Structures are given as structure tokens and as C-alpha cells.
Amino acid sequence: MSASSTAALVAATGLLFASPQARAQAPEPPKASEPPVIQASEEGFTLSSADKAFVLKLRGQLQGDGRFFLEDPDRTGTNTFIVRRMRPILDGTLFGFIDFRFMPDFGLGQSIIQDAYLDFRPGEWVRLRAGRFKTPFGLELLQSDMDNPFIERSLTVDLVPNRDEGLELHGEGEGGRWQYSLAVVNGDPDGASTDANTDDSFDLVARVFALPFKGREPSFLQALGLGVAVTRGLQFGTATNTGLAPWRSPGQQVIFSYLSNADTGETVTAHGQHLRFSPQGHFYLGSFGILAEYVRSSQEVQVADGRARLRHHAWQTAVSWVFGGKASFEGARPAKPFDPKTLQGGALEVAARYHALDVDDAAFPRFANPARSVTGAKGFGVATTFAFNRRVRFALNFHRTNYEGGAPDGDRAPENALLSRFQLTF
């Protein structure tokens, strides 16, 4: 017998014959640590400690799209199949109160970081987010593209900041009855994302959103949500980084851009105050849903010795109906998943949208070329989406957009875009 085994036997024998008081004071043998919990489900793959203080989730998103342009004699659009989004998603929790997300995107033949942030959450009513995240402003943009009934977002996103780097204080209360966000970010151009601050100023963002009847009477108003969002900042561009971005149609064709060297030898840049304002809301009842928002962007720009404050407007209203399930801001929810053996289950969502973009007349011709940039756009879209379950969907959309200006001889030809998508998320 080894010396260590002999010592352990002597200690155990001594404890056996010791008094009850001595046995009570003896240290307890160490407990075996609980094994980690491993799960695999439609929510992804999860590895966590037994107490959930440390969690690692591996999820993903894949969207394969088809774009087809009908009645396009000028060939402004290209018929193509594309991988619109391909995103591995890594979510997790550390020490029970720090959440994180890392989400790159390899869609459209690019490699970019969409989300990369930490969330310090001492409580549901207050969280501090740091890193790169969606700017808390546009309602449709804050809705996940996995849940939007339309393949591409409306014309309002042309005036909405996308993703930015900064700090965000956010939270909710009363079981999600009210939500708020206050953020300090580098400052995005309208309809774009940024990777770094190109000047010494920041944007301030504030948003409040409420579901005042959630958990209350009358019950049919449970999913009525109303909110407002604002941004304010100073933005100053340069010839190489103008602080301005082109705007796109539902078919993802450029329909407006500011003048650049290629046009006149002069470059328009952001130069001064940039304000945005957006009232927004949604309502869902059973199979019916409606979402609406208005966006106003006021931007100071400069080219050579010319300066102006341009005021642009956009709005949209979208309605949807789900057959075989319920409508919600988080997407159509099938009553039961599709069964390929019985060909039963799943849900069909039908949606319609009308939206418009109005460009300030003062933008022409000093800051934008009317022969290449539209002065306004109005369009409608219809969408059908079959949700096999919450994670697998097939969608088919048609969007027609009419333009004012944008061509050397008058109005740009209307865009008739037929879009398709097969989507997998987990």
C-alpha cells in the first residue's frame, strides 16, 4: 500500500472513532462538478454550464435569392442568382450577466463583420452594449431580415442608418411593455453602415417603443406597438470618404447618388448637422399584421463653395395575412410544422406594401445629377412566403417602382422586379 493510501486509511479510521462534534467539524469531501449541458435543436447548437452562467450558441443563416427584371429594355437590372446572406452566428453568455454576439457575413461575394458586441446586463431594465450593432432607429430595419415578409426592405431604409460602432444603453420593463434605447455612435450616412469614425464628431440616437396594452385589456390591442426615434449629429466628409451613400431600389439598383469627381470634377460631402426623425408602429391580431413608419432626414451638404440643407422623406405601410398560423413582428408562426410525409402543416403568409421616397428638390442640379438620380420614387410590392416551420422558408415577391426624374430625357423607366428566396436559419 502506498504512503498516501495509508494516510487516507488512518484519517478515515480516526474519523470513524472520533466524537460526533469532531465529525461535524470535519470538511466535506469535494463534490464532483456537474457536467456541461449540450443541446441541439432548431434554435442551434448550445453548450452551457449546468447553472447557465456560461453559454455558447452556434447558429446560422443562409439565403439563396433569385433576381429577375421584367420589361427592362434599358437593362438597368441584371438577372442573377446570388447568395444574399451567409452568416454563421456565435452568441453566448459569460458569468451570467455578460452576453455577446459575433456575426460575420459572406453573402454577395463579400466578407464583412455585421455584428460584434458585448451586452452587460445587470437587469432587464438596463443593459449596456458596446461594439458594432444595428443603430436603434428604423422599425423595419430592427426587424430581423429572417422575419420580414418581404425579401428586400422598403424605400424607407434609404434614409435609415444601418450598423455602426458605439455604446448603447437599452432595456425594457413591465414584461416588455416599454422599451428604450440611447446610443452614442460614430454616425452612419443615410442607408449605409460605417466601420470607423472619419471625423471628430458622434451621433446621438434615442428611441422609445411601447406596447401599452400588452398583458392588459382590451385583449385585441395586445400587439399594438407605437414608438418614435431620433438621431442628431455633425458629419463632415472628405473627397475620399464623403459621408454620403447611394440609395437603392427594392431590386437593389442604385437610384440616387450625390455628385462625385466622375460627374463634374467636384465632390459633394456631408458638411454639418444631420437630423433624423421617425414615428413608427405595428399591430398584430391573430393572422393579421400591419407595420408602418415615416422617416425624415435633414442633411447639410457642401460642394466647392455651395452649401445646402437637404430634407428627404420616405414612408411605408405593409399589411400581411397568415394562413395556417399567426402573424407577429418576429415573423409568421405556423400552427404546426410542415410534414413532408403527409404534406400537411406549415403556413402561407401573403403581404402587400406601398412605399415612397421623396428627394429634396434643392438637391438638383448642384448636388445630384437629375439625369442619373431620381427626384422621387413610389412603388408597391406583393409577397408570398411559405413557412415550412419557423426556420425554413420559401418566398416569392414582385415589386414595381415608378420614378420621377433619373433619366436624360425625363423619368427613369419603372422597375419590375421578381424576387425569390430560399431561406434556412437555425
Side-chain angles (χ1 to χ4, degrees):
M1 183 179 293
S2 66
S4 60
S5 300
T6 303
L9 180 60
V10 171
T13 304
L15 190 60
L16 179 64
F17 292 99
S19 64
Q21 293 80 6
R23 289 198 299 267
Q25 295 174 358
E28 295 182 2
K31 294 181 179 179
S33 59
E34 298 185 58
V37 179
I38 302 176
Q39 294 180 324
S41 68
E42 67 174 20
E43 301 296 331
F45 302 93
T46 304
L47 174 65
S48 68
S49 59
D51 60 0
K52 303 297 184 183
F54 294 87
V55 180
L56 186 64
K57 296 180 180 179
L58 177 61
R59 304 189 299 114
Q61 176 185 5
L62 177 64
Q63 294 175 338
D65 288 10
R67 291 178 186 165
F68 311 99
F69 295 89
L70 312 178
E71 300 180 7
D72 185 22
D74 297 331
R75 301 185 65 83
T76 55
T78 302
N79 299 332
T80 183
F81 292 104
I82 57 171
V83 176
R84 183 66 171 87
R85 294 176 178 90
M86 185 170 61
R87 298 174 174 176
I89 305 171
L90 192 64
D91 289 332
T93 300
L94 301 173
F95 307 104
F97 61 90
I98 299 176
D99 297 329
F100 67 87
R101 167 171 285 192
F102 177 68
M103 185 177 72
D105 190 356
F106 302 102
L108 298 176
Q110 304 174 7
S111 299
I112 60 176
I113 302 299
Q114 291 286 9
D115 290 335
Y117 60 78
L118 294 173
D119 243 359
F120 173 73
R121 52 171 177 88
E124 293 299 317
W125 61 274
V126 58
R127 300 186 179 196
L128 180 62
R129 179 170 295 178
R132 178 179 174 83
F133 47 83
K134 281 186 178 181
T135 303
F137 183 79
L139 178 62
E140 186 188 20
L141 190 66
L142 290 173
Q143 183 183 39
S144 171
D145 53 75
M146 297 181 287
D147 302 325
N148 195 317
F150 295 92
I151 291 175
E152 298 292 349
R153 291 186 168 96
S154 70
L155 292 167
T156 60
V157 299
D158 285 328
L159 304 184
V160 169
N162 197 325
R163 283 176 165 88
D164 208 341
E165 288 83 8
L167 295 172
E168 178 188 357
L169 188 67
H170 65 111
E172 61 181 38
E174 298 185 67
R177 194 172 293 157
W178 54 264
Q179 308 163 6
Y180 75 93
S181 296
L182 299 170
V184 181
V185 293
N186 288 333
D188 281 339
D190 287 340
S193 300
T194 56
D195 293 318
N197 197 353
T198 58
D199 52 34
D200 292 328
S201 57
F202 298 97
D203 276 15
L204 302 178
V205 186
R207 180 178 183 265
V208 292
F209 198 84
L211 289 87
F213 298 98
K214 186 176 182 179
R216 295 176 175 174
E217 296 295 336
S219 59
F220 71 91
L221 295 178
Q222 294 270 337
L224 172 65
L226 299 171
V228 62
V230 296
T231 74
R232 183 183 187 278
L234 297 174
Q235 297 176 2
F236 298 92
T238 64
T240 56
N241 195 328
T242 64
L244 303 169
W247 302 342
R248 296 182 179 273
S249 68
Q252 299 303 290
Q253 305 304 305
V254 175
I255 58 174
F256 177 89
S257 58
Y258 291 93
L259 292 175
S260 64
N261 286 327
D263 296 301
T264 64
E266 297 178 329
T267 299
V268 180
T269 62
H271 194 85
Q273 192 178 70
H274 191 183
L275 302 173
R276 300 185 188 92
F277 170 70
S278 176
Q280 53 197 237
H282 62 61
F283 173 68
Y284 297 95
L285 178 63
S287 299
F288 174 76
I290 182 170
L291 183 148
E293 65 180 328
Y294 166 83
V295 181
R296 180 178 185 269
S297 175
S298 172
Q299 171 89 67
E300 289 186 335
V301 297
Q302 175 179 278
V303 57
D305 58 351
R307 293 187 62 181
R309 175 181 287 277
L310 304 179
R311 298 172 175 84
H312 311 299
H313 308 261
W315 62 271
Q316 68 145 326
T317 300
V319 296
S320 61
W321 187 273
V322 179
F323 299 90
K326 291 185 177 181
S328 75
F329 187 69
E330 290 75 30
R333 299 177 178 272
K336 60 180 181 179
F338 176 77
D339 186 344
K341 295 181 179 179
T342 63
L343 301 181
Q344 295 182 349
L348 177 65
E349 183 174 23
V350 179
R353 175 173 69 194
Y354 191 83
H355 51 152
L357 170 68
D358 180 37
V359 183
D360 194 330
D361 291 339
F364 304 96
R366 190 71 176 96
F367 304 98
N369 186 344
R372 299 181 59 182
S373 294
V374 303
T375 62
K378 295 180 180 179
F380 69 89
V382 291
T384 57
T385 303
F386 185 76
F388 293 86
N389 47 50
R390 289 280 292 138
R391 304 302 173 186
V392 181
R393 306 196 315 176
F394 176 76
L396 189 65
N397 291 189
F398 174 76
H399 296 274
R400 179 179 173 87
T401 310
N402 296 309
Y403 301 111
E404 298 175 7
D409 55 352
D411 296 338
R412 178 173 174 160
E415 178 183 274
N416 298 283
L418 181 66
L419 310 178
S420 65
R421 169 171 293 170
F422 187 82
Q423 173 176 289
L424 169 66
T425 60
F426 63 89

